[in-house]
Amino acid sequence: MKCILNTGRTVPQGASVEHKGSELYSTVASACFLNPVDMMMLGIENGDRVRVTTPAGHIVLTARPAEGVARGEIFVAIGPYANHIISSETHGTGMPDFKSQSVDVEPTEEPIKSVGELMEAIGGLRYDRT
Amino acid sequence: MIERDVVCPFCGCLCDDLELETEGGKIVKVQNGCSLAESTFMNDTRLPAPIRRTETGWEDISYNEAIKETAEILRDADRPLLYGWSSTHGEAQSIGVHIAELIGAVIDNTSTVCHGPSILAIQEVGHPGCTLGQVKNRADVIIYWGANPVEAHPRHMSRYTTYATGFFVPEARRERTVIVVDTRRTDTANIADEFVQIERGGDYAVFSALRAIVRGNASVIPRKVAGVSKEQLIRIAEICKKAKFGAIFFGLGLTMSRGKYKNIRNAIELTDELNRHTKFVISPLRGHGNVYGSNEVFTWMTGYPFAVDFARGIAFYNPGETTAVDILRRGECDAALIVASDPGANFPRAAAAHLAKIPTVVIDPHVNATTALSRIHIPCTAAGIDAAGTAYRMDGVPIRLKKVIDRGYPDDAEILKKIYDLLNGGMGP
Ligand code: SF4
């Protein structure tokens, strides 16, 4: 299903933002909020996983229903999951399209990656001794 | 021990009325703060010592070694990028600017990916703003546009707007009309007296429609504008015109969506239009604790608020070219110093990926996503917790952050000063 990806801050994201290695952070940052009708169309339930694809790449997220999200849109908290698929083009403003990236959403069985795995996918090495 | 009037350094509200209870050098209780303040002070897990990435893993190194290697990395670089600065104090920010000037680096702060576009608009048409104290004591119409303070600035409404008792608005909730404009029905929208749900990317058109109505040209407005009915637009315009003092606060919903800085420009021009009828002000809801301070410090030192390029020996500013995301996307920089921020998590993947390809040094109290992309991570104090310093609230009021406890870490300003000294042959800034 074609959608527009919207991102933003949330309290749980803000409260765990200094603990990006934590499971809590990864749970909040990898939640994908969809309109319940869109979830029905996709044949998925709360907690199922979706694969969200853009020209920049794809990411697996956990689907959560949210009445406040308009149909044809998805909402993901600001962070490494959303950024994994957002284009780095800024149209000469310095600011990427954090709120208007078009995406393709489909159900999947693939697992959710950790923040460490996402960073390792781009050449990083996770530090998990704290 | 009880410490009163503590400033919370987490978001741009910089609430200065917290009460902290400390016991044996530890913070055990936070009062008056929101849940974000609580986790800022209570769950403050730090990186214990400087670390360096090796072929196979991470090794601990001494501060001296880490600082020396950082200076070498910066000295050897042709086009270094110094990025971050929003979660530390002005003292560290100013040394950052000195380093940038000394080595001909690009220095940019996190406003580049939050309210950078607001600054571009303000540079075009000015900023009819005021301090939050004025809003608290006078505003009877509050508009949150593309902003969700319930989630991002949890005490903004109770300290300054919706629920705050003001001198001229003693019965806050009854006397203040709250309008929320958003594409999503957020928790902030649920509190509003009037919620305007607009179609994604429709902000510019809705501002233009409101400007036309306020000017007395309602007849040219179609039945619906970006999903908003003409009746509602006329009603909103009337509420605004009848206000004694109106205040618009806008968030990333405007700066990040289609139109970017042009949205803000139109919002400021609507404010201008409304000032022909009554008093109206507009201000961005700035995110990180001291992101506004980074704009202030950069501006008074270089003339520009962010994205400053010293490669030519003078300060050069061209957002879209000298902004961090663009420099990383083009793979232009060959070394990076990241201070008090986390581009690894907050930049699009292609931009973040370049950090792993070049020597990147992080100076930050916490392990974050950028740690994984770095070569060296140097832990330091957290401004407002174990370091004092100056921060600017979202309305531009400087507030002194307090040092509440001592955790034995060096101040980031101190670390940066040592790096500067090494780069300058032992001479300080
Ligand atoms: S609103 Fe912001 S500054 Fe105030 S306590 Fe909460 S996080 Fe801290």
Side-chain angles (χ1 to χ4, degrees):
Chain A
M1 181 180 347
K2 292 256 176 280
C3 287
I4 295 288
L5 165 65
N6 183 12
T7 67
R9 293 198 179 95
T10 67
V11 163
Q13 166 262 334
S16 53
V17 76
E18 301 296 6
H19 307 273
K20 295 219 174 73
S22 72
E23 209 155 298
L24 172 68
Y25 179 77
S26 135
T27 313
V28 241
S30 67
C32 171
F33 295 93
L34 295 106
N35 185 284
V37 180
D38 285 347
M39 286 184 67
M40 224 167 67
M41 305 285 283
L42 284 164
I44 51 171
E45 311 236 331
N46 185 3
D48 285 355
R49 288 185 298 280
V50 285
R51 181 185 161 107
V52 184
T53 311
T54 69
H58 62 87
I59 185 94
V60 178
L61 303 168
T62 310
R64 302 279 176 215
E67 298 280 352
V69 175
R71 289 205 53 199
E73 262 180 36
I74 60 172
F75 178 85
V76 182
I78 253 168
Y81 289 88
N83 275 318
H84 202 70
I85 53 169
I86 289 176
S87 155
S88 57
E89 175 59 52
T90 75
H91 315 286
T93 64
M95 171 71 83
D97 292 330
F98 286 120
K99 287 187 182 280
S100 48
Q101 175 79 50
S102 23
V103 299
D104 200 34
V105 184
E106 58 192 334
T108 183
E109 295 289 314
E110 289 168 58
I112 307 271
K113 291 207 168 106
S114 70
V115 176
E117 283 172 304
L118 293 179
M119 292 300 123
E120 284 178 359
I122 55 172
L125 175 65
R126 85 188 89 164
Y127 176 84
D128 41 21
R129 277 193 277 150
T130 46
Chain B
M1 206 175 79
I2 305 272
E3 184 87 40
R4 280 176 227 286
D5 299 331
V6 174
V7 182
C8 168
F10 187 81
C11 87
C13 286
L14 291 182
C15 298
D16 52 2
D17 60 344
L18 271 59
E19 262 185 44
L20 259 52
E21 202 178 316
T22 57
E23 225 176 76
K26 274 208 163 118
I27 298 165
V28 291
K29 200 167 169 193
V30 180
Q31 271 184 318
N32 297 347
C34 67
S35 59
L36 298 176
E38 229 179 281
S39 63
T40 303
F41 286 106
M42 308 278 291
N43 309 333
D44 182 18
T45 335
R46 306 271 177 95
L47 175 64
I51 51 169
R52 175 168 57 203
R53 184 171 168 180
T54 64
E55 290 285 309
T56 50
W58 293 94
E59 60 179 1
D60 288 343
I61 51 173
S62 71
Y63 273 98
N64 279 343
E65 221 177 319
I67 288 168
K68 200 167 141 262
E69 200 168 321
T70 304
E72 278 161 14
I73 289 172
L74 292 176
R75 182 183 297 131
D76 293 345
D78 287 326
R79 190 145 173 79
L81 169 70
L82 316 182
Y83 175 79
W85 313 102
S86 62
S87 295
T88 187
H89 42 52
E91 289 76 354
Q93 292 165 347
S94 74
I95 301 176
V97 177
H98 282 300
I99 296 180
E101 187 174 11
L102 183 68
I103 60 172
V106 174
I107 185 162
D108 196 9
N109 54 57
T110 62
S111 57
T112 191
V113 288
C114 61
H115 278 287
S118 314
I119 295 172
L120 298 186
I122 287 169
Q123 286 171 332
E124 281 189 357
V125 285
H127 179 202
C130 68
T131 61
L132 288 168
Q134 293 293 328
V135 172
K136 175 188 168 179
N137 286 315
R138 297 175 191 275
D140 57 346
V141 170
I142 308 280
I143 303 179
Y144 285 109
W145 198 307
N148 188 8
V150 168
E151 303 269 359
H153 303 86
R155 295 183 73 213
H156 194 264
M157 292 210 236
S158 58
R159 271 172 64 84
Y160 305 114
T161 65
T162 323
Y163 306 113
T165 307
F167 191 82
F168 297 109
V169 262
E171 300 268 342
R173 196 61 194 99
R174 210 164 43 79
E175 289 176 86
R176 295 200 215 256
T177 307
V178 178
I179 301 169
V180 172
V181 189
D182 211 320
T183 55
R184 242 176 2 123
R185 186 173 261 289
T186 58
D187 286 340
T188 307
N190 290 333
I191 302 169
D193 299 300
E194 184 91 47
F195 172 52
V196 185
Q197 186 157 19
I198 47 181
E199 281 164 9
R200 173 149 309 281
D203 302 271
Y204 190 91
V206 174
F207 282 125
S208 298
L210 284 172
R211 281 173 69 189
I213 297 168
V214 173
R215 272 199 167 216
N217 295 328
S219 58
V220 303
I221 304 299
R223 226 161 27 82
K224 257 183 183 240
V225 179
V228 187
S229 71
K230 182 173 180 176
E231 292 73 51
Q232 191 177 27
L233 288 169
I234 291 177
R235 195 162 64 236
I236 303 279
E238 277 313 308
I239 296 174
C240 291
K241 277 162 64 181
K242 287 211 190 89
K244 289 200 206 92
F245 187 116
I248 305 175
F249 292 100
F250 62 92
L252 304 183
L254 283 188
T255 65
M256 287 181 173
S257 47
R258 205 176 96 199
K260 306 211 172 105
Y261 72 102
K262 290 295 181 194
N263 292 331
I264 321 292
R265 184 189 163 126
N266 217 0
I268 295 175
E269 288 180 322
L270 169 65
T271 313
D272 176 17
E273 203 63 59
L274 284 165
N275 272 292
R276 289 155 214 240
H277 299 270
T278 178
K279 173 78 184 165
F280 240 87
V281 295
I282 180 166
S283 280
L285 279 173
R286 305 302 305 266
H288 285 288
N290 194 24
V291 62
Y292 194 102
S294 60
N295 299 137
E296 288 278 331
V297 171
F298 281 28
T299 305
W300 54 254
M301 292 183 73
T302 74
Y304 303 111
F306 64 106
V308 188
D309 183 355
F310 279 104
R312 295 163 178 79
I314 46 143
F316 173 77
Y317 165 73
N318 188 19
E321 180 195 347
T322 57
T323 22
V325 172
D326 298 278
I327 288 190
L328 287 165
R329 174 172 49 92
R330 293 194 303 262
E332 202 173 290
C333 53
D334 55 352
L337 176 68
I338 309 296
V339 180
S341 71
D342 192 7
N346 296 322
F347 280 6
R349 183 179 54 161
H354 189 67
L355 291 171
K357 295 194 191 113
I358 57 174
T360 294
V361 178
V362 175
I363 301 179
D364 194 288
H366 310 107
V367 172
N368 57 30
T370 315
T371 309
L373 308 177
S374 71
R375 182 166 300 179
I376 294 175
H377 184 149
I378 312 176
C380 58
T381 50
I385 301 180
D386 51 347
T390 306
Y392 284 76
R393 201 167 66 184
M394 61 165 76
D395 54 348
V397 173
I399 292 181
R400 188 82 185 155
L401 303 176
K402 288 187 177 176
K403 173 176 177 166
V404 198
I405 48 167
D406 195 334
R407 297 192 51 179
Y409 285 94
D411 198 302
D412 44 2
E414 213 175 285
I415 297 172
L416 290 162
K417 165 97 178 28
K418 285 189 179 154
I419 294 171
Y420 182 96
D421 289 351
L422 285 175
L423 288 166
N424 198 31
M427 304 274 282

